[in-house]
Amino acid sequence: MIRGQSLPSIHRGAGRYRVEHVSGRVVLYLVITAGAFIFSTPLLWMISTSLKSPELINRIPIVWIPPELRWANYIDPWVEMPFLLFYWNTVFITVTNTAIILITNSLVAFGFARIPFKGRTIIFFVLLATMMLPPQVTMIPTYLFWSRLRLVNTFWPIMAPEWLSAAYDVFLMRQFYMTISTDLDEAARIDGCSWFGIYRHIILPLSKPVIGVLAILNFSFNWNNFITPLIYLNDSRLFPIALGLRLFETQMGGGDTYVRLGPLMAMTLVSIIPLMAAFFIAQRYFIQGIVITGIKG
Amino acid sequence: MAQAVSENSPARGRLALSPQARVNIAGYLFITPWILKFLTLNAGAMIVSLGISLFKTDFFTTFDFIGFDNYTRLFRDPLFWKSLSVTAYYAFGMVPLALVFSLVIALLLNQNVKFQGVYRVVYYLPSIVSGVAVAILWKYLLQPRWGLINQGLALVGIEGPKWLFSTTWAMPAFILMGVWAAGGNMLLYLAGLQGIPTDLYHAASIDGANAWHRFWRITLPMLTPTIYFNLIISIIGAWQIFTQSYIITAGGPDNSTLTMVLLLYRKGFQQFHFGYASAIAWVLFTIVMLFTVLIVRSSEAWVFYAGEVRG
């Protein structure tokens, strides 16, 4: 079996077993549409709430479309709080981290999946074990480490550890690489191709779906990361948007928080727009670009 | 192994590296970034926290070595047992539900349906909304009187439970939130499905296999590496549940959402019993490790790799 060659268009749709009968298709559409409806209601509620004035928010029965759309919910917060700065910080951290992460993790995963070095199994299990300890435990020793280096209240503790690979990503990529046949590697080895050559010319071109998935997962993780910036950043000028939103929420004042729920929901929605954009860019690699098919070799 | 063929002649002398040594060097070079991270950030921190679990310490005034006292006290602490049962309830409810649910959705969305992209985005979106936003959102959705969910249930004549204010329904509400955000798993299944060679299906169709057979004999076995990954990751994530109970319910009502990590956080970061908190962490670590070892051990029997390198 040799993989990685695109076939004529008739063969597109790898992994699909078609539901042929008409009745089957009707049921299929009914199920996914009903599910989609249920899944999107919380977000629709969020959109609706973001355009409401306070007195409409806890009305029974619910008012889905407010008689008067309150766009001020989307405008006023930008003046109250330096959201623009929060976004600049978030974009800087997220884009840099995601780009570097994809390179280092794919190299590390290649080592674990393809090179039969001594101690590989044990070391890989150690890598899995690092994921099992609650991050709250290593938090204190890790904080001491960064404060020794005098790097607290900088972006370093939020960025540098990410660059040095992440167990989750390595595990996922390894799982993917393990499904690619080794026939090509072995042929390339006999022809004198280096390990890096195999990585660069055989594995990497076949990895677009998993890289696409990891790009979006890492982008979302870094964009939403809350706990690490919370611990290491004191200066609000360095805050990413996740901390900014929390700050905005706590400044809404206690008690009847729903009074300012509209602006909060509006700002929360704005913060997920870049994630949606990133998803649309990344999805073509794992949703439309179905080039990884197999032919009999 | 192909690489063992070329350079095995004794004439090359003893100074030349053996083929296996070259393979070892290459392997370790590729995983160097992770080794660096492990040595600087993981290993040290793990040893330090294991050490702390043998002390009674707040890091400022006291630092007394007490051996395994933290652990014996832990096993006599009713709050610990409460948190263990709460967390286990969540893990055993959430992991299978999310796993099966996201697999079914991925399979359905992998069909040739119109507006495929739109459906995929709708199912995936919930998983990218940040933790803080999700917490706030569900707090209001589950509001017993005017929350959207109970208003919806009232429409079909059901009087909804008090959800986050009920000791019975608070944890199911958390599981509901977890399943809602399982879109990340779905994405991984979708990626896995794209990696299944089409000709397997063609060959099977020619042999007269129906859709049901093709699913059980091709799709499911070829997806086992992804299922394996999702299973391990979901178990680790479920046992570490924290943000929801910290932000939404603060462990209440009546400790019905007091998860192990929340208890750990309270003991450590609020009451400054760092030794006790570290002991909780290591018990949690042991539990998750046990489950993972079970799954890893069993994986040879059910996980199928098309390109396995045995070394």
Side-chain angles (χ1 to χ4, degrees):
Chain A
M1 197 75 82
I2 296 179
R3 296 160 47 115
Q5 298 180 21
S6 45
L7 290 168
S9 55
I10 330 162
H11 293 270
R12 288 195 56 179
R16 278 172 209 177
Y17 57 99
R18 289 193 176 81
V19 173
E20 284 99 355
H21 306 294
V22 178
S23 58
R25 292 200 70 81
V26 170
V27 173
L28 171 70
Y29 275 104
L30 276 179
V31 169
I32 57 174
T33 310
F37 187 71
I38 293 167
F39 260 63
S40 51
T41 25
L43 290 174
L44 292 176
W45 179 82
M46 209 171 178
I47 295 170
S48 158
T49 306
S50 76
L51 290 165
K52 281 180 189 170
S53 50
E55 62 274 14
L56 279 177
I57 281 172
N58 59 353
R59 184 76 57 88
I60 306 174
I62 186 166
V63 183
W64 279 103
I65 301 165
E68 203 177 327
L69 299 182
R70 197 181 158 98
W71 293 105
N73 286 347
Y74 281 86
I75 299 161
D76 298 345
W78 296 85
V79 188
E80 289 172 42
M81 212 164 260
F83 276 106
L84 219 53
L85 186 63
F86 297 157
Y87 277 107
W88 164 246
N89 294 333
T90 318
V91 168
F92 174 73
I93 295 170
T94 305
V95 171
T96 318
N97 278 4
T98 307
I100 299 177
I101 283 166
L102 291 178
I103 297 167
T104 44
N105 283 330
S106 67
L107 283 166
V108 174
F110 178 84
F112 278 119
R114 289 310 227 211
I115 308 180
F117 61 88
K118 228 177 169 181
R120 185 174 65 149
T121 321
I122 299 277
I123 297 177
F124 188 72
F125 199 79
V126 173
L127 178 132
L128 289 187
T130 60
M131 284 192 287
M132 296 171 204
L133 204 63
Q136 285 78 5
V137 188
T138 46
M139 228 174 237
I140 299 159
T142 313
Y143 184 88
L144 295 175
F145 172 84
W146 287 111
S147 73
R148 271 285 165 81
L149 296 174
R150 296 185 184 284
L151 289 173
V152 171
N153 210 21
T154 68
F155 285 157
W156 285 102
I158 303 162
M159 300 182 76
E162 294 285 313
W163 301 345
L164 293 174
S165 82
Y168 177 94
D169 297 32
V170 170
F171 185 21
L172 178 65
M173 279 193 161
R174 170 197 179 259
Q175 292 307 96
F176 186 86
Y177 293 164
M178 299 275 279
T179 65
I180 300 172
S181 163
T182 50
D183 297 356
L184 279 176
D185 299 30
E186 282 168 20
R189 290 296 294 166
I190 291 166
D191 291 346
C193 190
S194 69
W195 287 109
F196 188 77
I198 295 174
Y199 162 78
R200 176 76 190 76
H201 297 294
I202 298 176
I203 301 295
L204 216 48
L206 286 176
S207 315
K208 277 182 187 160
V210 75
I211 289 177
V213 169
L214 281 180
I216 184 66
L217 290 181
N218 277 301
F219 194 93
S220 316
F221 172 79
N222 279 286
W223 190 272
N224 289 331
N225 190 2
F226 177 69
I227 193 81
T228 329
L230 180 71
I231 292 171
Y232 290 104
L233 303 178
N234 313 314
D235 185 351
S236 67
R237 281 171 304 172
L238 295 174
F239 277 9
I241 186 63
L243 282 187
L245 275 178
R246 175 72 175 171
L247 191 66
F248 189 58
E249 190 211 350
T250 51
Q251 290 193 356
M252 295 199 320
D256 291 336
T257 42
Y258 68 82
V259 170
R260 301 235 11 222
L261 205 55
L264 179 66
M265 287 298 155
M267 286 298 103
T268 310
L269 276 169
V270 170
S271 78
I272 57 178
I273 290 171
L275 291 174
M276 290 169 71
F279 178 77
F280 276 107
I281 294 166
Q283 68 141 4
R284 75 179 67 172
Y285 291 105
F286 55 87
I287 285 178
Q288 288 150 357
I290 307 160
V291 284
I292 304 184
T293 55
I295 53 161
K296 292 264 177 200
Chain B
M1 287 292 106
Q3 61 274 13
V5 180
S6 53
E7 302 164 31
N8 226 358
S9 57
R12 288 209 143 197
R14 292 203 182 99
L15 281 176
L17 288 168
S18 74
Q20 185 57 44
R22 283 159 186 271
V23 168
N24 290 347
I25 292 170
Y28 282 101
L29 276 179
F30 269 93
I31 67 166
T32 299
W34 178 75
I35 290 179
L36 275 177
K37 181 175 185 172
F38 179 73
L39 293 179
T40 54
L41 292 171
N42 297 133
M46 280 171 106
I47 292 165
V48 170
S49 86
L50 189 60
I52 294 171
S53 78
L54 305 177
F55 283 83
K56 181 179 167 63
T57 177
D58 60 3
F59 282 145
F60 299 106
T61 54
T62 36
F63 213 96
D64 303 327
F65 181 78
I66 53 166
F68 290 100
D69 270 16
N70 281 327
Y71 292 92
T72 48
R73 270 176 51 220
L74 195 61
F75 292 123
R76 285 199 299 264
D77 183 348
L79 268 189
F80 166 75
W81 291 106
K82 179 71 189 170
S83 75
L84 183 63
S85 76
V86 164
T87 315
Y89 181 84
Y90 179 76
F92 281 103
M94 159 74 188
V95 172
L97 265 179
L99 212 66
V100 171
F101 179 79
S102 53
L103 177 60
V104 169
I105 297 292
L107 287 169
L108 293 178
L109 294 188
N110 203 45
Q111 306 287 334
N112 263 326
V113 288
K114 280 189 180 141
F115 310 114
Q116 204 174 34
V118 177
Y119 281 115
R120 284 170 169 167
V121 171
V122 166
Y123 284 102
Y124 176 66
L125 263 185
S127 72
I128 57 174
V129 188
S130 84
V132 178
V134 167
I136 298 166
L137 174 65
W138 282 90
K139 206 153 94 181
Y140 292 98
L141 286 177
L142 291 166
Q143 214 282 341
R145 207 168 50 82
W146 52 267
L148 181 63
I149 291 185
N150 277 1
Q151 281 200 46
L153 288 174
L155 280 183
V156 288
I158 301 169
E159 195 193 335
K162 290 196 180 313
W163 296 112
L164 302 168
F165 299 95
S166 146
T167 49
T168 327
W169 287 96
M171 228 44 214
F174 279 19
I175 293 172
L176 187 73
M177 288 178 228
V179 173
W180 184 67
N185 287 359
M186 177 203 77
L187 215 57
L188 300 182
Y189 286 129
L190 276 175
L193 284 167
Q194 311 312 317
I196 302 177
T198 346
D199 59 329
L200 288 180
Y201 291 102
H202 289 289
S205 297
I206 292 163
D207 292 345
N210 61 30
W212 188 245
H213 281 127
R214 291 197 297 262
F215 171 73
W216 284 105
R217 300 281 163 76
I218 302 171
T219 314
L220 205 57
M222 294 295 279
L223 272 184
T224 49
T226 317
I227 297 174
Y228 176 65
F229 176 85
N230 275 341
L231 183 61
I232 292 184
I233 292 294
S234 307
I235 287 176
I236 294 174
W239 280 90
Q240 293 180 3
I241 176 184
F242 170 69
T243 320
Q244 293 91 316
S245 46
Y246 175 65
I247 296 185
I248 306 180
T249 57
D254 195 21
N255 291 327
S256 62
T257 57
L258 179 72
T259 66
M260 287 179 84
V261 177
L262 182 60
L263 180 66
L264 179 161
Y265 177 83
R266 281 190 187 164
K267 292 289 177 191
F269 295 85
Q270 292 181 339
Q271 299 166 16
F272 306 108
H273 301 309
F274 286 110
Y276 197 72
S278 298
I280 298 173
W282 282 92
V283 172
L284 177 56
F285 175 79
T286 313
I287 294 171
V288 178
M289 179 65 110
L290 260 161
F291 281 110
T292 312
V293 167
L294 270 178
I295 294 163
V296 171
R297 277 285 166 84
S298 74
S299 71
E300 298 232 340
W302 64 272
V303 180
F304 170 76
Y305 294 114
E308 192 159 15
V309 188
R310 297 205 178 263

